[in-house]
Amino acid sequence: MKTMTDAISPEITTLALEDIPHLIDCVRRCYGDSYPNPAMYDASQLREIIESKLMHSIVAKLSDDRIIGHCALTFSGSKNTSPEAGKMLVDPDFRGHHIAEVMAKKRISIAQQLEIAGFWTECVTNHPYSQHEMITFNAKETGLFIGDMPSTISMQGLDNFSNTRMSLLTFYLSLADHPHSIFLPLDHVAHVKDLAQDLNLERVISSSGVAGTGKTTIGMEVNAGIQTANIYIEYIGSDLISAVAKELKSIESLNLASVYLDLPIEQEAASQAYLDLESIGFFWGSWLPNYSDHKDILRLQKIYQTVDVDKIICARDKGEEVKQYVLSEWARISLNP
């Protein structure tokens, strides 16, 4: 195995298009063929998302042009104002030399140049390392996606579980807030107030019995590779539950592990919509501040699987609190199918 010496000092820089093949090589060294995002193996797709500025990639590059590390800010679309910070990987031969930390610092610098409100990330829970990295930068835990990743994903040189899907702990790093009002069921108001206080985000949090009116605006994407789907609600109408049920029916035959639903909680109808969505099996996943047009969303989850929750490792007590909050919601909803 190669080891990094003091003479090897990678350049931390943004990804040049001509280095895309070297990045793909790095992905294979880290994950083999198991990485959950197929675009990371496809040079043409990578070029497209980089040129369209949907992904801002930071890499660790050696003098021989080898890429030994990568992370990125990835926007889901033109309305996404708090992107996902992810795709963090370090060549197994060069781990233990703080490469991830240095790339993450560069990522924050890029985020500040882009003048975004902040970014969120999903940290694996089979080990605490990536969580510690986010904690170092003062990011805060905001939720947990239970069993999001299949056990077929294998990280070279780290502990992997072959008998259960892996859960992801979400963190948010605030850079510039956009204060606004949000609406949640009364039972969740105290929890979000606590999260907002930790993040120093200014929110007026209310509960309302107002129902949606008109027609729901809805969309969906399926990720067959990891057996999940994401439903996106742009406008909460009076037909919300029937609209969501129709989407669920359309993917019934796929035998998915999880379905997520993004609820725009700046809309007053969100409080009642959340309660209605519980009736068809959705429950708390993660609060994502400033996510769409600088407004918050709540990503709910519906689980069709068994998950060994004892394998979920949290780096600190706050993560454990968030984990237990989500697990208790799952248990409560499961008792009232």
Side-chain angles (χ1 to χ4, degrees):
M1 177 181 288
K2 303 179 184 68
T3 58
M4 177 176 282
T5 68
D6 292 338
I8 300 175
S9 181
E11 178 187 9
I12 307 300
T13 185
T14 53
L15 177 68
L17 294 177
E18 59 266 25
D19 284 329
I20 287 175
H22 300 301
L23 171 58
I24 294 172
D25 289 341
C26 182
V27 175
R28 292 194 185 282
R29 290 196 300 274
C30 293
Y31 283 90
D33 293 324
S34 72
Y35 195 73
N37 188 333
M40 295 298 287
Y41 296 102
D42 189 311
S44 62
Q45 287 189 54
L46 282 170
R47 175 181 286 272
E48 181 179 348
I49 58 177
I50 290 168
E51 289 184 328
S52 64
K53 300 191 183 304
L54 288 175
M55 186 169 80
H56 297 259
S57 283
I58 297 95
V59 295
K61 182 179 178 180
L62 297 181
S63 58
D64 62 3
D65 291 335
R66 262 185 306 164
I67 301 295
I68 61 170
H70 174 270
C71 67
L73 292 169
T74 305
F75 292 85
S76 61
S78 59
K79 293 184 177 182
N80 183 202
T81 43
S82 280
E84 180 185 8
K87 302 178 176 66
M88 173 68 80
L89 47 93
V90 175
D91 188 314
D93 288 349
F94 295 92
R95 289 179 186 151
H97 299 276
H98 307 290
I99 293 173
E101 181 181 341
V102 178
M103 290 192 299
K105 287 180 180 178
K106 178 70 171 178
R107 182 170 59 191
I108 292 174
S109 176
I110 296 295
Q112 291 168 332
Q113 291 172 31
L114 294 171
E115 298 183 333
I116 59 175
F119 56 76
W120 66 283
T121 191
E122 298 170 318
C123 290
V124 298
T125 57
N126 60 325
H127 62 73
Y129 309 131
S130 59
Q131 296 174 45
H132 281 303
E133 173 204 309
M134 294 307 298
I135 291 166
T136 297
F137 295 115
N138 205 33
K140 308 293 184 179
E141 298 89 336
T142 58
L144 176 73
F145 297 135
I146 301 169
D148 181 79
M149 305 301 291
S151 58
T152 52
I153 295 171
S154 177
M155 291 174 274
Q156 302 300 314
L158 295 173
D159 291 334
N160 297 283
F161 302 126
S162 59
N163 60 347
T164 188
R165 291 176 66 94
M166 181 165 55
S167 302
L168 301 176
L169 192 66
T170 59
F171 283 76
Y172 185 77
L173 180 66
S174 178
L175 298 174
D177 191 25
H178 293 260
H180 59 280
S181 297
I182 57 176
F183 298 88
L184 294 164
L186 186 60
D187 288 347
H188 296 296
V189 168
H191 180 60
V192 176
K193 280 185 176 179
D194 180 55
L195 297 179
Q197 184 175 8
D198 272 358
L199 281 162
N200 197 29
L201 299 181
E202 184 180 338
R203 295 293 183 271
V204 177
I205 308 173
S206 305
S207 186
S208 171
V210 169
T213 60
K215 185 176 177 60
T216 296
T217 305
I218 189 170
M220 182 174 66
E221 292 181 3
V222 175
N223 187 333
I226 60 170
Q227 298 174 286
T228 66
N230 283 72
I231 297 173
Y232 309 97
I233 307 298
E234 291 191 14
Y235 176 76
I236 303 167
S238 59
D239 63 340
L240 173 68
I241 298 305
S242 61
V244 172
K246 182 179 178 181
E247 297 291 348
L248 293 175
K249 183 69 174 176
S250 73
I251 57 176
E252 198 172 52
S253 64
L254 299 179
N255 295 317
L256 298 179
S258 304
V259 176
Y260 301 101
L261 185 145
D262 289 358
L263 188 67
I265 55 175
E266 91 283 358
Q267 297 179 28
E268 189 174 357
S271 296
Q272 186 59 47
Y274 185 108
L275 297 176
D276 293 341
L277 287 162
E278 283 188 344
S279 71
I280 57 172
F282 284 96
F283 63 96
W284 190 277
S286 181
W287 176 43
L288 299 178
N290 298 310
Y291 182 85
S292 181
D293 287 337
H294 296 118
K295 297 295 191 295
D296 300 355
I297 68 164
L298 187 61
R299 183 162 291 171
L300 307 181
Q301 55 191 327
K302 180 178 172 68
I303 308 298
Y304 297 91
Q305 58 183 309
T306 58
V307 177
D308 185 352
V309 297
D310 292 333
K311 296 287 180 67
I312 300 175
I313 298 170
C314 297
R316 61 177 175 180
D317 289 345
K318 185 63 179 181
E320 190 66 29
E321 289 175 18
V322 169
K323 166 188 163 182
Q324 292 302 329
Y325 189 86
V326 176
L327 292 180
S328 67
E329 286 298 292
W330 186 23
R332 181 176 66 82
I333 295 304
S334 298
L335 289 173
N336 300 283

